[in-house]
Amino acid sequence: MSTTLPAPLDALAPARATGASAGAPLPVDERARTYLVKTLGCQMNVHDSEHMAGMLEQAGYVPAAPADAAAEDVDVLVINTCAVRENASDKLYGNLGRLAGTKRARPGGMQIAVGGCLAQKDRAGIVERAPWVDVVFGTHNLDVLPTLLERARHNEAAQVEIAESLQVFPSTLPTRRESVYAGWVSISVGCNNTCTFCIVPHLRGKERDRRPADVLAEVEALVATGAIEVTLLGQNVNSYGVGFGDRHAFGKLLRAVGAVPGLERVRFTSPHPAAFTDDVIAAMADTPTVMPQLHMPLQSGSDRVLRAMRRSYRADRFLGILDRVRAAIPQAAITTDVIVGFPGETEDDFAQTLDVVERSRFASAYTFQYSPRPGTPAADLPGQVPKAVVQERYERLAALQERISGEENAAQVGRTLDVLVAQGEGRKDGATARISGRAQDNRLVHLALPAGLGPTDAPRPGDLVTVEVTRSAPYHLVADSALVPGGTFRVRRTRAGDAWQARAEGHDEHAGTGAGGGCGTGAAAPAGPVVLGLPRLGRPPGS
């Protein structure tokens, strides 16, 4: 089912006005309609949700107040879905089932929209299973969301519109940034790999690269509005450049982004081991603003399983990359993804995975039990591993990685770190009287404040605090050096902290700016799209 909006992808051109992004607000009720975006999935989905929020605000909608968001008492609820794992689908339809009663109970009506990867995959099947859903749109046509909402209201009928290829590069769309001190920047969308377990290329399409000048322009715009940290996003970031024939383009881009004045931290996710080259390692080591952090998906330590997965590298190559990264960047924290129970995995295959994990010394790992995704080659492979066996192997892997994470974090005790204070990182900060943030290597740090610190001296989200690590746990570090007489505690108040404070006080003029133009309201911004996180069987890094 293809969209009729005539907006071809053009990475060279500025944003083209199509549908809801054409500038003139769509008709809404006399009072502004409230919206809430809930996100299931990865960083790419989180960034897509920022675009959805930006388009809705440009169309005249306003973010729901926190009290409304908690009760889902909103006019428009958008669920941005993930299709990577089976339980993501279960979670969506479970949520939709509960929302049926919520919608019936709303006197003024409520609209429910479903977008993202699962919408691209299930299409009209979502409305068939949940006929109270008003709008279904896919990964290739985010820009039609406001138009479809208005059409559904006018026609009093569900609207399903799924494009088969990218219509508008998402980064050209209006954006409501979740954070003013750190931002996501997509450098590509789609993926050219053919991993047998992964449905993403089918749902996101072939890789499309943005031109370097467009990426740099977005980074510079973010920095101008207060950001001091940027994360470059792509399904396979280090294959960047395939669209314009430069296999070293990603390393060059890292250096160029890292040189943007005012930018202090650059991160990227996720690379593919098969395309990871030494020039990228050199760019990381030579560029002080590129953080000593690398997420390198292993998936399996068995060469036989890697072949069955169509992962075009082997365990020795993977370990060689890690050795070269650590030789160039000794303090680098490396994280990974591992799948347990891929079809045909034997106990020997799994033992090889444990061996590679032991030798890799990952700071943390996302560990997954394999679940077949319809439409992927692996779903039809023989030798599906019994659930009980998968569970037992998964528990062994989780225990191994927890031990390694604990040992690697224990080695950080006594180090002096610069922590970028973040909003919402520490779930227990209120009870512990600590604040939380991320070290250069992206480890989560909970830090104490000295007694008697006045409100004008306290660090804000976006500020940098220098502390010494006093103890550790497998999933975080604790820095209580401020409580020690003469202990390390220094605050550097940054323009990122100023930008956060301006938003909190309702003075933020750039709350909604992005590559595609502003959609700020001038009012105090709530936290932005609500992020539910990717449903995981493993404990995520930093939890």
Side-chain angles (χ1 to χ4, degrees), residues 1 30 83 94 176 178 181 227 264 282 416 457 460 470 480:
M1 191 177 301
E30 290 185 7
R176 155 62 69 181
E178 282 197 350
Y181 52 85
E264 301 191 27
T416 298
D457 299 318
R460 308 156 299 180
T470 53
D480 283 349

Side-chain angles (χ1 to χ4, degrees), residues 73-125:
D73 184 23
V74 295
D75 298 307
V76 174
L77 176 64
V78 182
I79 304 177
N80 187 13
T81 63
C82 172
V84 171
R85 297 191 56 79
E86 184 177 9
N87 60 350
S89 175
D90 296 340
K91 192 175 187 71
L92 168 67
Y93 289 109
N95 283 336
L96 290 178
R98 289 187 291 273
L99 285 168
T102 302
K103 184 173 180 176
R104 283 195 299 269
R106 284 294 308 278
M110 174 188 190
Q111 285 188 295
I112 300 171
V114 179
C117 288
L118 200 59
Q120 187 77 24
K121 172 180 170 289
D122 287 4
R123 305 183 176 223

Side-chain angles (χ1 to χ4, degrees), residues 143-440:
D143 58 309
V144 302
L145 171 59
T147 299
L148 294 180
L149 287 168
E150 182 60 25
R151 193 185 300 164
R153 291 177 65 217
H154 181 271
N155 296 346
E156 297 183 346
Q159 302 296 308
V160 179
E161 203 158 290
I162 306 293
E164 300 299 337
S165 60
L166 200 62
Q167 302 299 299
V168 178
F169 208 105
S171 294
T172 66
L173 298 171
T175 307
R176 155 62 69 181
R177 298 282 179 178
E178 282 197 350
S179 166
V180 292
Y181 52 85
W184 312 100
V185 175
S186 292
I187 67 171
S188 65
V189 294
C191 181
N192 292 340
N193 293 312
T194 58
C195 302
T196 55
F197 57 82
C198 185
I199 199 169
V200 168
H202 174 66
L203 302 178
R204 291 277 182 177
K206 292 292 185 181
E207 182 175 326
R208 300 284 194 276
D209 294 331
R210 296 177 71 190
R211 295 298 175 130
D214 295 337
V215 175
L216 287 170
E218 184 173 355
V219 172
E220 290 166 354
L222 275 172
V223 172
T225 58
I228 60 173
E229 177 177 292
V230 160
T231 301
L232 304 179
L233 291 179
Q235 310 297 154
N236 181 12
V237 292
N238 57 313
S239 67
Y240 175 76
V242 66
F244 44 88
D246 184 355
R247 65 187 300 267
H248 297 298
F250 183 60
K252 296 174 184 176
L253 184 68
L254 274 182
R255 294 177 187 271
V257 170
V260 170
L263 187 60
E264 301 191 27
R265 295 187 171 195
V266 179
R267 306 186 190 277
F268 61 89
T269 193
S270 289
H272 192 292
F276 201 79
T277 51
D278 287 348
D279 66 294
V280 173
I281 299 174
M284 294 174 65
D286 296 344
T287 311
T289 49
V290 176
M291 293 294 94
Q293 171 214 355
L294 178 66
H295 185 76
M296 183 63 69
L298 169 64
Q299 307 302 4
S300 175
S302 162
D303 288 352
R304 192 185 69 81
V305 173
L306 288 172
R307 280 192 294 272
M309 290 178 168
R310 285 192 205 147
R311 300 284 288 180
S312 48
Y313 57 89
R314 300 297 173 256
D316 284 347
R317 172 174 170 76
F318 183 92
L319 290 167
I321 292 172
L322 270 52
D323 288 343
R324 294 195 297 278
V325 169
R326 287 179 169 134
I329 314 166
Q331 299 295 342
I334 301 175
T335 57
T336 198
D337 299 329
V338 183
I339 296 173
V340 177
F342 186 80
E345 181 188 75
T346 65
E347 179 60 29
D348 182 62
D349 292 323
F350 180 66
Q352 293 174 48
T353 294
L354 295 178
D355 177 64
V356 173
V357 169
E358 181 75 66
R359 294 163 64 186
S360 296
R361 306 298 298 176
F362 297 117
S364 57
Y366 294 92
T367 51
F368 303 88
Q369 297 187 29
Y370 171 78
S371 60
R373 305 308 292 132
T376 63
D380 299 320
L381 286 177
Q384 300 286 328
V385 183
K387 172 65 177 176
V389 174
V390 176
Q391 179 67 32
E392 190 273 335
R393 289 176 184 170
Y394 169 79
E395 291 172 0
R396 276 191 281 158
L397 174 62
L400 171 63
Q401 183 55 54
E402 183 163 353
R403 172 178 64 78
I404 294 171
S405 295
E407 292 168 355
E408 292 297 304
N409 277 0
Q412 306 299 309
V413 174
R415 286 191 64 199
T416 298
L417 304 177
D418 290 330
V419 178
L420 177 61
V421 179
Q423 184 175 23
E425 286 278 22
R427 295 191 296 269
K428 299 178 182 178
D429 282 352
T432 63
R434 295 188 178 96
I435 60 174
S436 300
R438 295 284 170 173
Q440 296 98 319

